[in-house]
Amino acid sequence: MTPPRRALASRILATLIAGAVVACTPAQAENVVKLPAATLDPAVNAKRATAVLAGGCFWGVEGVFSNVKGVISVESGYHGGSAATARYELTHDGKSGHAEAVRIVYDPSQVSYGSLLRILFSVIADPTLKNRQGPDSGTQYRAAIVPMDAVQRQVATAYLAQISRGKYFARPVVVPVESYKRFYRAEANHQDFMRRNPSNGYIVRWDAPKLAALKRLFPAMVRAAPAP
């Protein structure tokens, strides 16, 4: 099969398997760990800031972060490759350099950059997995931190070291800190996918449990209604 068909077939298969799993057992978020707050997390004197993060399939990453208090907006997209390959069907051969990522605009007075990283690795992405998350494998599904400035890079580097030293995971933390290139917004049908498709088998099995874990572990950080 061509790469686009192979990617589609893989996602359909994951959805079908998810439906079977949900029918037999309650869906659970994998590797949920309530990590500590970042010890290095300086205040940012600005009304808005931007974070670019990757944590596997962007449907769930966007779906969770849109429910975090202080988040103004979240959009799914691609980071790491070129404009020529910044399309869904061209990222699934693992050669584009892109990761499925999200761009988060947030209010630093309500939620810090360190808090976003804490949520990412507590309930969204397993930082010990390389080039895969959940049922998805390939470089496009890697977890990654993409700092937008020197301060974010310092916080990211320090937090990865902090959670590595804390031995919260059975395996080593392998998340890369990548240099920002350009964020490419994903196709319209991928935006706000989790909210628009709550009964989708993939969402039910892999992503809804992550949102449930956010609400359970960090209730004070949850918005009353999702951000756009």
Side-chain angles (χ1 to χ4, degrees), residues 57-81:
C57 174
F58 45 28
W59 293 347
V61 185
E62 179 192 17
V64 172
F65 278 122
S66 66
N67 282 274
V68 173
K69 189 179 296 182
V71 168
I72 298 169
S73 65
V74 191
E75 55 187 339
S76 294
Y78 312 102
H79 177 270

Side-chain angles (χ1 to χ4, degrees), residues 6-20 135-136 201-202 206:
R6 185 163 60 245
L8 180 59
S10 177
R11 186 59 58 88
I12 291 173
L13 179 60
T15 298
L16 292 174
I17 293 173
D136 305 313
Y202 185 97
W206 299 104

Side-chain angles (χ1 to χ4, degrees), residues 35-202:
L35 295 172
T39 54
L40 177 64
D41 197 13
V44 175
N45 185 22
K47 293 183 178 180
R48 294 191 176 196
T50 300
V52 173
L53 303 170
C57 174
F58 45 28
W59 293 347
V61 185
E62 179 192 17
V64 172
F65 278 122
S66 66
N67 282 274
V68 173
K69 189 179 296 182
V71 168
I72 298 169
S73 65
V74 191
E75 55 187 339
S76 294
Y78 312 102
H79 177 270
S82 68
T85 56
R87 297 200 303 277
Y88 187 76
E89 69 272 15
L90 297 181
T91 62
H92 284 77
D93 60 1
K95 299 177 182 179
S96 71
H98 283 296
E100 290 194 9
V102 297
R103 179 165 57 190
I104 305 165
V105 177
Y106 63 100
D107 180 348
S109 69
Q110 295 189 51
V111 62
S112 68
Y113 186 70
S115 293
L116 296 178
L117 299 184
R118 184 187 189 191
I119 290 168
L120 176 65
F121 299 125
S122 290
V123 303
I124 299 175
D126 183 340
T128 70
L129 299 180
K130 183 178 181 180
N131 295 333
R132 64 187 180 93
Q133 289 292 322
D136 305 313
S137 63
T139 58
Q140 67 274 23
Y141 295 115
R142 65 187 182 273
I145 305 173
V146 187
M148 302 298 287
D149 56 38
V151 174
Q152 287 190 357
R153 180 171 290 274
Q154 290 175 344
V155 173
T157 302
Y159 194 62
L160 290 176
Q162 178 184 341
I163 63 176
S164 293
R165 289 193 305 269
K167 297 182 179 180
Y168 300 99
F169 303 95
R171 299 181 297 271
V173 172
V174 295
V175 174
V177 177
E178 301 182 359
S179 296
Y180 179 75
K181 294 182 178 179
R182 181 179 172 184
F183 181 87
Y184 300 92
R185 180 179 168 87
E187 298 83 346
N189 60 306
H190 291 298
Q191 304 300 328
D192 204 19
F193 188 92
M194 184 171 170
R195 187 185 64 79
R196 293 186 294 102
N197 301 275
S199 61
N200 175 276
Y202 185 97

Side-chain angles (χ1 to χ4, degrees), residues 18-28 204-205:
V21 172
V22 171
C24 298
T25 61
Q28 296 180 346
V204 171
R205 173 60 183 92

